[in-house]
């Protein structure tokens, strides 16, 4: 995550990313090797290498990307199949008899319970595994809603321009100038009853301006591009120019940003539930919430906090590594 | 030339018996105005005619205002930061006064354009077929399904082998020459009466250039499409154009029928351009004669001939008075001291 206290750095970073769409030709393809033809009158087959193909050939050999992709894939599979993988029911107080509220509130590790149980006697290992599902849902949904919101605002600003652009971008800049966690807290705190959905909406709100600025930047680059001029020279209608010619070519930096956003959404979601602004129902395990609950036992039982924290860090790292190497691979400036 | 009767530069004479012009550009001026900068007049009163089926060349070195002229005709200049004046009559309608909507209906249907760089002029994420059918759907009201066979025939017509497969290909899967063929197919899809080609071969290999020029020539002859050929390369003009306009510093400095102009260039700039082309029939050991200096040496047209600092035979008046465009026998010349005799 960027330093939330420095909105200018945040903006700069977004704009740099947007610029990659303008020069790179977007999600599609730009011929790298433009070979030519042999004898006159006969057209030889000569195929350029698309941006995606050349990016992929580099990513395939990039250990950072492979590590990130491995973590991400493992996490997604874990989240999907968590009920099958978890050895115990994460909501059942199986070790409740072992809990001694006065002397030893946390049952330690034992056969079948590698990380022990929490103060309600529930298996921590199973809770961590099943908690991945909440994390995935919140991370992906928040990113999706943020993406949709940013897409709408960014398209509006980049396609219409003029005063619409000015108004939208001033609102976006104001939102960007508020530290992202503070904004998320404010939105989450508005809700009468905190739930999983308030977390998703709060985090999505934070992502909207990032996606909006990013998309508007790459839409503007597209607006001045040759193929948009060529489409206009054919009398193509403005709506088709925007949706067929500008938008699809503006998406690649936005998609890269989305993988990075999942990482920060996971961290922010954990922060919100850690502070009690998340889903209060602890029958649904969630890493941030487990971290929050571990607070009162932090001196005697630090493992209770370390395990969920480690999960959050590793998963966020996985998405970040993948996103950053994707970004680098798709950035035409970094091509070798 | 100075003894020639001066006719107003805004009314070039009509070729006898050549019919009414399809496109008639009169005193076209384009001024770019950026905040905090001096206004810059990129096109300074350009006038020319294009008759149906005719191929007219617009020649001049880089930066002389060729692209700006073509964009102004098409109404494709940015909405802000420039001012266009004069008239662009297309079949009696002044295109400069049309609304955005009316102009959109004309572009691609009545007037089409082919640009310099075939790769960047195609949408990288849309298959070629969709890019051809798009314009058919737009202007001929065809459905995607009905337009596909038409698109296939068009690709076939411009010499793209295996058109059925190529319809599904993305631009990066085609070679440079094939991309330009595809762009020509798209431009001619709705049988426009006028095609503007802005340096269509500059980004291509020499062998491909010849193919594309031959294709353009064949297509405009077959369909009776009028062609405005914009180029910095007199070699392109030589094989293609009926009439040639030579541009310098945003103004036309010489105009003439192709053979006459090549046989007897009268403006020192045209003369210099021709002399700087390698000739096979030149005596051995004769060196090429490039025009000295660059566009940055130009004087302002307002009180001089812009070309004077680079001219091979300037006289005193060249740096004091702007020469007018004078017409005689279908040729026009803007020069105080023209080149005499045959080349
Ligand atoms: N959008 C623009 N804003 C300001 N100046 C421009 C713009 N487009 C072109 N020009 C200037 O107009 C002149 C003519 O450009 P152009 O018509 O593109 O030349 P060419 O003959 O090579 O096609 C150049 O000096 C160029 O710098
Ligand atoms: Mg040009």
């Amino acid at each position: 995550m960027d330093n939330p206290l420095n909105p200018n750095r945040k903006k700069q970073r977004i704009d740099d990313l947007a610029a990659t769409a303008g020069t790179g030709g977007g999600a599609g393809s730009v011929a790298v090797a433009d070979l030519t033809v042999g004898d006159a009158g006969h057209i030889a087959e000569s195929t350029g290498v698309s941006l995606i193909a050349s990016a992929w050939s580099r990513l395939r050999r990039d250990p950072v990307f492979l590590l990130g992709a491995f973590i991400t894939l493992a996490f997604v599979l874990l989240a999907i199949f968590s009920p099958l993988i978890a050895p115990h029911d994460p909501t059942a107080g199986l070790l409740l008899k072992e809990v001694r509220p006065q002397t030893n509130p946390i049952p330690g590790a034992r056969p079948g319970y590698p990380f022990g149980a929490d103060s309600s006697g529930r298996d921590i290992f199973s809770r961590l595994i099943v908690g991945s599902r909440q994390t995935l849902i919140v991370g992906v949904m928040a990113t999706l809603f943020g993406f949709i919101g940013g897409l709408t605002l960014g398209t509006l600003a980049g396609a219409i321009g003029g005063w619409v652009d000015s108004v939208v971008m001033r609102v976006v800049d104001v939102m960007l100038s508020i530290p992202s966690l503070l904004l998320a807290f404010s939105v989450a705190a508005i809700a009468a009853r905190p739930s999983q959905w308030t977390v998703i909406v709060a985090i999505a709100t934070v992502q909207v301006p990032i996606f909006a600025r990013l998309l508007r930047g790459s839409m503007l680059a597209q607006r001045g591009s040759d193929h948009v001029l060529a489409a206009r020279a054919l009398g193509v209608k403005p709506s088709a120019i925007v949706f067929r010619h500008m938008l699809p070519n503006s998406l690649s930096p936005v998609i890269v940003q989305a993988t990075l956003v999942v990482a920060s959404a996971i961290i922010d979601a954990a922060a919100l539930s850690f502070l009690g602004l998340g889903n209060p129902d602890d029958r649904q395990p969630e890493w941030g919430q487990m971290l929050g609950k571990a607070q009162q036992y932090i001196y005697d039982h630090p493992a209770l906090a370390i395990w969920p924290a480690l999960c959050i860090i590793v998963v966020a790292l996985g998405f970040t590594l993948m996103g950053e190497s994707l970004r680098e691979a798709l950035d035409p400036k970094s091509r070798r | 030339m100075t003894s020639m009767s001066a006719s107003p530069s805004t009314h070039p004479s009509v070729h006898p018996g050549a019919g009414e012009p399809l496109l008639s550009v009169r005193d076209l001026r384009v001024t770019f105005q950026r905040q905090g900068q001096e206004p810059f007049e990129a096109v300074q009163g350009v006038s020319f005619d294009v008759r149906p089926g005719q191929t007219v060349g617009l020649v001049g070195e880089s930066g002389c205002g060729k692209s700006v002229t073509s964009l102004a005709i098409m109404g494709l200049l940015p909405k802000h930061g420039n001012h266009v004046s004069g008239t662009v009559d297309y079949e009696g309608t002044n295109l400069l006064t049309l609304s955005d909507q009316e102009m959109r209906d004309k572009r691609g249907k009545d007037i089409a354009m082919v640009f310099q760089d075939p790769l960047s002029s195609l949408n990288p994420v849309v298959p070629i077929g969709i890019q051809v059918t798009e314009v058919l759907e737009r202007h001929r009201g065809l459905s995607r399904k009905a337009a596909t066979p038409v698109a296939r025939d068009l690709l076939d017509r411009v010499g793209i082998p295996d058109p059925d497969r190529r319809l599904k290909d993305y631009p990066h899967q085609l070679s440079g020459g094939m991309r330009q063929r595809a762009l020509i197919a798209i431009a001619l899809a709705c049988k426009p009466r006028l095609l503007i080609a802005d340096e269509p071969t500059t980004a291509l290999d020499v062998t491909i250039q010849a193919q594309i020029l031959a294709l353009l020539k064949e297509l405009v002859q077959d369909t009776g499409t009028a062609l405005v050929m914009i180029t910095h390369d007199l070699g392109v003009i030589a094989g293609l154009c009926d009439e040639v306009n030579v541009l310098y510093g945003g103004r036309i400095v010489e105009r003439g029928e192709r053979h006459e102009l090549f046989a007897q260039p009268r403006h020192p700039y045209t003369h210099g351009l021709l002399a700087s082309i390698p000739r096979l029939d030149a005596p051995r050991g004769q060196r090429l004669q490039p025009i000295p200096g660059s566009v940055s040496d130009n004087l302002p047209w307002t009180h001089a001939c812009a070309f004077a600092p680079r001219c091979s035979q300037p006289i005193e008046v060249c740096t004091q008075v702007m020469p007018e465009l004078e017409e005689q026998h279908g040729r026009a010349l803007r020069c105080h001291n023209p080149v005499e005799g045959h080349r």
Side-chain angles (χ1 to χ4, degrees):
Chain A
M1 272 202 317
D2 288 334
N3 176 4
L5 295 176
N6 191 344
N8 282 329
R9 232 198 97 214
K10 197 150 73 175
K11 280 187 215 162
Q12 183 59 46
R13 210 179 123 93
I14 296 171
D15 292 347
D16 286 350
L17 194 53
T20 62
T23 46
S29 40
V30 161
V32 178
D34 194 3
L35 304 173
T36 43
V37 176
D39 49 337
H42 183 78
I43 299 168
E45 203 86 0
S46 81
T47 306
V49 182
S50 81
L51 182 67
I52 293 214
S54 87
W56 174 239
S57 74
R58 216 147 8 114
L59 284 174
R60 232 174 19 190
R61 283 176 278 115
D62 180 359
V64 176
F65 172 79
L66 291 179
L67 179 64
F70 173 76
I71 295 174
T72 306
L73 191 70
F75 165 67
V76 170
L77 288 177
L78 185 71
I80 292 171
F81 297 109
S82 54
L84 302 175
I85 298 169
H88 302 290
D89 179 356
T91 59
L94 298 169
L95 296 181
L96 199 52
K97 286 201 275 317
E98 309 287 329
V99 176
R100 309 271 178 277
Q102 302 305 321
T103 56
N104 181 19
I106 306 297
R110 65 203 61 209
Y113 300 86
F115 300 155
D118 65 4
S119 58
S120 309
R122 296 172 298 199
D123 177 30
I124 291 190
F125 185 57
S126 302
R127 284 177 72 75
L128 284 174
I129 289 176
V130 175
S132 64
R133 185 173 269 197
Q134 287 306 305
T135 305
L136 181 70
I137 290 174
V138 172
V140 169
M141 294 296 264
T143 305
L144 192 69
F145 288 152
F147 182 84
I148 293 170
L151 197 72
T152 314
L153 287 183
T155 307
L156 218 60
I160 300 176
W163 68 267
V164 177
D165 185 25
S166 305
V167 170
V168 169
M169 289 324 286
R170 286 303 79 74
V171 173
V172 161
D173 284 348
V174 167
M175 287 172 80
L176 278 176
S177 68
I178 305 172
S180 61
L181 264 184
L182 190 64
L183 184 59
F185 291 158
S186 319
V187 176
I190 293 172
R193 278 187 307 134
S195 71
Q196 189 185 345
W197 286 101
T198 59
V199 174
I200 290 174
V201 169
I203 294 167
T205 310
V206 174
Q207 309 303 349
V208 165
I210 299 180
F211 280 122
R213 193 176 171 94
L214 193 57
L215 194 75
R216 179 229 181 216
S218 44
M219 290 279 276
L220 284 189
Q222 286 299 317
R223 190 148 71 169
S225 72
D226 284 356
H227 69 89
V228 166
L229 181 67
R232 290 209 296 136
L234 291 169
V236 175
K237 293 207 166 105
S239 58
I241 300 255
V242 170
F243 291 110
R244 184 175 294 157
H245 296 276
M246 283 162 65
L247 195 54
N249 285 293
S250 311
L251 284 180
S252 71
V254 185
I255 288 166
V256 172
Q257 177 68 22
T259 50
L260 294 169
V261 159
V262 173
S264 68
I266 285 171
I267 294 174
D268 289 0
L272 284 182
S273 31
F274 176 83
L275 293 170
L277 288 167
N279 190 358
D281 182 1
D282 70 355
R283 278 172 306 174
Q284 211 157 50
E286 203 271 328
W287 295 342
Q289 182 202 60
M290 290 168 73
L291 199 59
K293 290 260 160 73
Q295 250 185 124
Q296 44 187 130
Y297 312 108
I298 191 85
Y299 293 112
D300 299 326
H301 304 279
L304 222 51
I306 287 173
W307 292 119
L310 208 60
C311 290
I312 295 168
I313 291 169
V314 168
V315 169
L317 193 69
F319 277 102
T320 307
L321 292 180
M322 191 171 80
E324 287 289 348
S325 34
L326 261 180
R327 188 167 64 118
E328 216 166 280
L330 289 173
D331 181 358
K333 275 180 286 181
S334 73
R335 282 184 170 195
R336 280 150 292 184
Chain B
M1 187 53 104
T2 37
S3 63
M4 209 180 250
S5 69
S7 64
S9 63
T10 52
H11 291 281
S13 67
V14 173
H15 265 296
E20 281 298 296
L22 176 70
L23 179 80
S24 178
V25 178
R26 286 293 170 277
D27 199 25
L28 183 69
R29 289 169 190 275
V30 180
T31 310
F32 289 104
Q33 173 72 73
R34 288 262 171 77
Q35 244 169 11
Q37 277 178 25
E38 288 275 291
F40 173 70
E41 200 173 18
V43 179
Q44 310 183 5
V46 165
S47 305
F48 63 91
D49 285 339
V50 184
R51 272 162 270 277
Q54 194 185 25
T55 297
V56 171
L58 230 50
V59 205
E61 53 197 355
S62 186
C64 70
K66 307 180 297 287
S67 297
V68 173
T69 303
S70 63
L71 293 178
I73 294 172
M74 295 291 286
L76 287 174
L77 285 169
K79 274 226 177 68
H80 305 286
N82 63 69
H83 181 258
V84 183
S85 70
T87 59
V88 177
D89 275 333
Y90 176 83
E91 293 187 309
T93 329
N94 183 1
L95 298 182
L96 297 184
T97 60
L98 292 185
S99 69
D100 285 357
Q101 167 79 51
E102 289 166 323
M103 200 57 212
R104 265 204 302 280
D105 289 340
K106 283 227 181 306
R107 285 200 294 260
K109 181 163 165 261
D110 296 327
I111 314 176
M113 195 159 171
V114 176
F115 292 91
Q116 176 172 340
D117 183 350
L119 177 58
S120 64
S121 300
L122 287 163
N123 185 341
V125 302
V126 174
I128 299 291
I130 306 287
Q131 302 195 48
V132 187
T133 53
E134 176 175 47
V135 59
L136 292 167
E137 289 170 49
R138 167 72 177 89
H139 292 297
R140 284 169 57 180
L142 298 178
S143 67
R144 170 81 52 88
K145 206 161 158 250
T148 306
V150 183
R152 189 211 158 276
D153 291 345
L154 279 164
L155 291 191
D156 195 34
R157 181 71 192 80
V158 297
I160 292 181
D162 198 1
D164 284 308
R165 209 181 94 219
R166 291 305 177 189
L167 284 176
K168 297 188 197 80
D169 275 357
Y170 288 87
H172 73 268
Q173 293 171 295
L174 270 58
S175 67
M178 267 205 270
R179 285 182 207 126
Q180 194 60 293
R181 284 171 194 264
L183 278 168
I184 291 171
I186 293 170
L188 294 179
C190 295
K191 303 192 170 68
R193 297 194 61 201
L194 178 66
L195 178 67
I196 301 178
D198 187 353
E199 312 224 14
T201 58
T202 305
L204 303 174
D205 257 30
V206 182
T207 47
I208 313 295
Q209 282 186 9
Q211 292 176 23
I212 296 292
L213 287 177
L215 175 70
L216 270 177
K217 188 172 179 174
E218 186 192 324
L219 288 174
V220 295
Q221 270 170 6
D222 282 5
T223 57
T225 306
L227 175 64
V228 175
M229 187 71 185
I230 296 178
T231 177
H232 64 267
D233 182 353
L234 277 176
V236 169
I237 296 288
L240 206 60
C241 296
D242 303 316
E243 193 178 71
V244 185
N245 294 283
V246 182
L247 243 69
Y248 191 83
R251 285 176 191 258
I252 289 180
V253 294
E254 186 165 15
R255 171 193 1 261
E257 193 271 330
R258 182 214 339 178
H259 296 290
E260 283 179 28
L261 193 91
F262 274 62
Q264 197 182 12
R266 303 219 51 205
H267 198 284
Y269 176 60
T270 319
H271 194 268
L273 281 179
L274 286 169
S276 63
I277 298 179
R279 286 174 63 141
L280 283 178
D281 58 354
R284 289 192 77 171
Q286 185 182 322
R287 307 185 62 180
L288 291 177
Q289 299 156 13
I291 301 172
S294 73
V295 191
S296 57
D297 301 325
N298 285 3
L299 294 175
W301 276 113
T302 42
H303 55 269
C305 169
F307 184 62
R310 303 172 65 189
C311 186
S312 58
Q313 48 186 47
I315 52 175
E316 205 183 337
V317 67
C318 295
T319 54
Q320 291 160 354
V321 183
M322 181 185 83
E324 293 293 333
L325 190 69
E326 296 175 13
E327 303 260 345
Q328 196 180 50
H329 311 308
R331 283 194 69 165
L333 180 66
R334 184 192 294 280
C335 186
H336 290 304
N337 186 26
V339 181
E340 298 295 341
H342 281 258
R343 199 157 72 99

